[in-house]
């Protein structure tokens, strides 16, 4: 049965019959392991030189304002930045624990989770995990609740608070349209002069990352960030410096975030459909019992009065 | 009779075994007949009998007998990716020599298949990225990964114009790395050795006076250890064993106390016989020919310059004292008594009028 988790979640909202819902839960959890040929990006932090060309290219291809300050200005690295409504990606600098070695630059953007928390938190299905791997956003249905901002384990989506009309949630799209319709690479990947970013099928990228780690055990930490974190992400990282020293959150676990709420959320329709029927039944039953008791009481009073 | 047969059999089998053994070790001397390495044998590069991918047991690079100097290009113009910037002129030969201090030619020419000459980059790295098989970086990525790793180390910069000149803009390429400020003297503490707690090392003397090549001590090091636009320079983290191995290449027969002294020592200056401009650039062994301890030589010029004669010796140029026609015609021994050139001649040996050098000169 080819049913996706997204379709399933939609179905559960509309489903009325409890039995059908229960069997769908079991099947969806058992069979869905993600789109087989989904794409991803591997960031090799040992190669990144911090030129911020990716920020520039990202702004260009997504019609965002050019990065401020300009890539020539190194003062930008004095503080750790986050993605915001005007930048889908930012590069931060972290000192190398070995003072003889150059600092480490870390590009930050949407990780495009295999099972996105933003999508599961969204009330109106504005987010979707595409077969190409990207997690995309549909502004036309968004109601602006910003649950996605709170749900994201990487604190990535940003909101256009300064727009009075039609504010949007802003986040990296992995250049979904460029990749799917124009057959191009994502803007940042295309421009990276040292190819610290590699675009390809996620399964190929994991192989590539493993090969690099095996070939250079002294150069790399034996960990692919994003292979298993929060159930796996399309954007992955390898590094020579421990991830925890580069601002990566290491206690996210490997359970997909939607998993935490699935039990509760899937019981909501059951509760909504069964509880009214059940309690109405209980109510009707007890009312009927009271009526009978009352009638019996009345008749016995009459009998007592008569006697 | 049977003894004879036995003896012959034993001898024959010994010969067969010997021939077999030599035939077995022969492959290492097999001569390569094609490709850029044709004409060389296996053990021109490999030091062991059976090189493997994990342990190719290669000699340090460049390997002179291979004749890389002839095979490898001096300069490569990289124009395959010409777009915004003018083609890059890559000084291959210079980088080859830099490779001496680093690990190998393999730093750039990695993944060389066995029996294959060093491949050019575009043999494996394509210009266009392949989404279907992203294992190899594109040509642009490969070039930048190779170059930037070292170039950023010493420049601490990632501006494109550090290597590239932009089209239409005559901007000088800034890729000249900072020169090496060589230390004159280094004093290392050696507290764990009671008899001498100081090791004085004269770096400049080892390079200039004793003519040691940098690679004799510095191998497999980062460029930044010597060339760095920022401070501090000279980051050599070596343990005691590494230091001992390095010094013992030449000073192996010395006692511990020869290096480990209680006080700093003065530099060797060749002060007993100051070197003139002709002798200064020479290596020690040019004059001190006997191997082992350098022995004092006779100060007589003829000891080394036995071919000098009245006819071919340019007195003015070499000694700085010109001779006029009268003095030129005389024999060397007329002034230099007993042909002892170490002792300076005086005028009064011939002239009675109490004239003396330098007020009076034997020429212009």
């Amino acid at each position: 049965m080819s049913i996706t988790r997204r379709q399933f979640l939609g179905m559960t909202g509309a489903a009325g019959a409890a039995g059908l819902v229960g069997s769908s839960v079991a099947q969806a959890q058992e069979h869905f392991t993600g789109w087989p040929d989904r794409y991803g990006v591997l960031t090799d932090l040992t190669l990144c030189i911090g030129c911020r060309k990716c920020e520039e290219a990202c702004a260009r291809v997504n019609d965002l304002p050019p990065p401020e300050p300009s890539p020539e200005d190194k003062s930008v690295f004095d503080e750790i930045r986050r993605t915001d409504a005007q930048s889908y990606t930012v590069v931060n600098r972290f000192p190398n624990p070995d003072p003889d070695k150059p600092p480490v630059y870390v590009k930050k953007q949407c990780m495009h989770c295999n099972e996105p928390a933003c999508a599961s938190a969204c009330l109106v299905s504005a987010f979707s995990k595409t077969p190409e791997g990207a997690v995309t956003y549909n502004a036309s249905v968004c109601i602006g609740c910003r649950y996605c901002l709170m749900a994201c384990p990487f604190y990535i989506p940003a909101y256009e608070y300064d727009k009075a009309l039609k504010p949007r949630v802003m986040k990296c799209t992995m250049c979904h349209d460029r990749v799917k319709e124009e057959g191009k690479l994502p803007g940042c990947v295309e421009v990276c002069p040292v190819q610290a970013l590699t675009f390809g099928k996620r399964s190929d990228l994991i192989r590539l990352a493993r090969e690099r780690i095996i070939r250079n055990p002294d150069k790399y930490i034996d960990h692919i960030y994003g292979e298993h974190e929060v159930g796996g992400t399309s954007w992955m990282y390898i590094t020579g410096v421990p991830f925890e020293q580069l601002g990566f959150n290491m206690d996210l676990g490997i359970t997909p975030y939607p998993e935490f709420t699935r039990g509760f959320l899937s019981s909501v329709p059951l509760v909504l459909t069964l509880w009214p029927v059940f309690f109405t039944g209980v109510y009707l039953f007890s009312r009927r019992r009271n009526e009978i008791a009352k009638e019996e009481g009345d008749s016995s009073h009459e009998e007592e009065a008569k006697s | 009779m049977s003894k004879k047969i036995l003896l012959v059999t034993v001898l024959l089998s010994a010969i067969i075994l010997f021939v077999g053994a030599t035939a077995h070790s022969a492959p290492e001397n097999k001569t390569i007949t094609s490709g850029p390495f044709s004409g060389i044998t296996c053990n021109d590069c490999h030091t062991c009998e059976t090189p493997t991918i994990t342990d190719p047991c290669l000699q340090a690079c460049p390997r002179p007998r291979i004749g890389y100097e002839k095979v490898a290009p001096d300069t490569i113009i990289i124009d395959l990716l010409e777009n915004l910037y003018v083609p890059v002129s890559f000084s291959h030969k210079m980088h080859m020599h830099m490779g001496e201090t680093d690990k190998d030619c393999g730093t750039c020419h990695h993944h060389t298949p066995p029996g294959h000459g060093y491949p050019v980059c575009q043999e494996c790295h394509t210009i266009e990225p392949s989404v279907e098989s992203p294992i190899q970086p594109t040509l642009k990525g490969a070039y930048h990964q190779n170059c930037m790793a070292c170039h950023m180390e010493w420049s601490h910069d990632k501006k494109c114009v550090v290597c590239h000149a932009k089209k239409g803009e005559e901007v000088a390429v800034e890729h000249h790395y900072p020169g090496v400020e060589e230390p004159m003297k280094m004093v290392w503490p050696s507290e764990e050795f009671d008899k001498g707690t100081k090791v004085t090392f004269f770096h400049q003397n080892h390079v200039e006076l004793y003519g040691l090549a940098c690679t004799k001590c510095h191998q497999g090091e980062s460029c930044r250890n010597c060339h760095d636009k920022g401070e501090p320079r000279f980051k050599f983290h070596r343990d005691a064993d590494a230091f001992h191995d390095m010094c013992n290449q030449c000073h192996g027969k010395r006692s511990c106390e020869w290096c480990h002294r209680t006080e700093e020592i003065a530099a060797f200056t060749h002060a007993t016989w100051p070197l003139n401009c002709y002798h200064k650039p020479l290596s020690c062994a040019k004059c001190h020919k006997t191997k082992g301890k350098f022995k004092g030589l006779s100060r007589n010029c003829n000891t080394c310059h036995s071919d000098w004669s009245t006819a071919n010796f340019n007195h003015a140029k070499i000694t700085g004292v010109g001779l006029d026609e009268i003095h030129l015609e005389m024999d060397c021994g007329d002034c230099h008594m007993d042909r002892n050139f170490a002792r300076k001649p005086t005028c009064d040996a011939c002239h009675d009028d109490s004239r003396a050098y330098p007020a009076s000169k034997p020429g212009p």
Side-chain angles (χ1 to χ4, degrees), chain B residues 244-263:
Chain B
H244 282 130
D245 289 347
M246 227 162 62
C247 300
N248 283 343
Q249 289 181 73
C250 300
H251 305 293
K253 287 179 183 167
R254 299 283 184 181
S255 67
C256 303
E257 291 84 356
W258 193 75
C259 295
H260 297 267
R261 311 267 182 123
T262 49
E263 293 298 325

Side-chain angles (χ1 to χ4, degrees), chain A residues 59-257:
Chain A
R60 195 175 58 242
V61 302
N62 291 300
D63 297 324
L64 297 169
E68 281 291 329
S70 71
E72 280 74 39
D73 189 349
K74 285 181 187 170
S75 70
V76 73
F77 292 124
D78 292 345
E79 58 179 32
I80 302 295
R81 295 180 301 153
R82 270 185 60 195
T83 51
D84 57 39
Q86 263 136 38
S87 44
Y88 287 169
T89 184
V90 290
V91 179
N92 285 316
R93 183 179 65 191
F94 291 88
N96 198 314
D98 182 347
D100 285 353
K101 287 187 179 161
V104 183
Y105 297 94
V106 181
K107 180 184 181 296
K108 190 176 179 149
Q109 73 297 305
C110 174
M111 299 286 282
H112 299 277
C113 305
N114 291 346
E115 298 189 45
C118 53
S120 88
C122 185
L123 305 178
V124 292
S125 294
F127 287 95
S128 41
K129 176 82 178 173
T130 63
E132 291 76 31
V135 175
T136 55
Y137 162 76
N138 179 1
S140 63
V141 296
C142 179
I143 56 168
C145 69
R146 305 184 308 285
Y147 281 5
C148 49
L149 271 68
M150 283 174 266
C152 177
F154 303 103
Y155 305 105
I156 293 299
Y159 196 64
E160 289 182 315
Y161 286 104
D162 55 343
K163 279 203 178 164
L165 296 171
K166 293 185 182 173
R168 294 168 296 170
V169 171
M170 303 292 276
K171 74 159 203 73
C172 161
T173 61
M174 210 159 88
C175 291
H176 182 251
D177 294 343
R178 260 173 77 89
V179 171
K180 196 182 174 188
E181 276 147 39
E182 299 173 49
K184 289 181 181 169
L185 291 174
C188 53
V189 176
E190 189 184 71
V191 82
C192 182
V194 289
Q195 221 171 329
L197 306 169
T198 312
F199 182 83
K201 281 183 188 147
R202 187 175 182 270
S203 49
D204 288 342
L205 295 178
I206 291 173
R207 256 208 317 281
L208 169 67
R210 286 247 171 74
E211 193 187 288
R212 284 193 192 168
I213 292 169
I214 291 166
R215 273 182 192 272
N216 311 286
D218 301 335
K219 192 178 164 192
Y220 290 101
I221 303 283
D222 187 12
H223 185 106
I224 306 169
Y225 192 92
E227 187 186 6
H228 300 300
E229 274 75 11
V230 297
T233 58
S234 273
W235 210 292
M236 292 171 291
Y237 292 84
I238 48 174
T239 174
V241 170
F243 281 110
E244 46 268 48
Q245 294 175 32
L246 303 174
F248 284 85
N249 199 346
M250 298 306 284
D251 51 14
L252 294 176
I254 58 167
T255 313
Y257 269 36

Side-chain angles (χ1 to χ4, degrees), chain A residues 39 47 49-51 74 100-101 105 185 191 193-195 198-201 204-205 208 211 215, chain B residues 111 129-132 134-138 140-141 144-145 148 152 156-158 160 224 235 237:
Chain A
Y39 290 112
L47 297 174
I49 55 169
C51 66
K74 285 181 187 170
D100 285 353
K101 287 187 179 161
Y105 297 94
L185 291 174
V191 82
V194 289
Q195 221 171 329
T198 312
F199 182 83
K201 281 183 188 147
D204 288 342
L205 295 178
L208 169 67
E211 193 187 288
R215 273 182 192 272
Chain B
H111 308 318
S130 163
V131 176
E132 292 313 308
I135 300 297
Q136 278 160 352
T138 58
K140 182 177 156 190
H144 281 136
Q145 282 177 19
M148 296 295 272
M152 259 183 65
H156 304 279
D157 213 336
K158 52 212 165 215
C160 306
R224 190 191 172 194
K235 298 157 184 166
H237 306 293

Side-chain angles (χ1 to χ4, degrees), chain B residues 187-192 197-199 260:
Chain B
V187 182
W188 292 302
S190 62
E191 304 297 341
E192 55 273 27
T197 53
K198 280 177 186 158
V199 178
H260 297 267

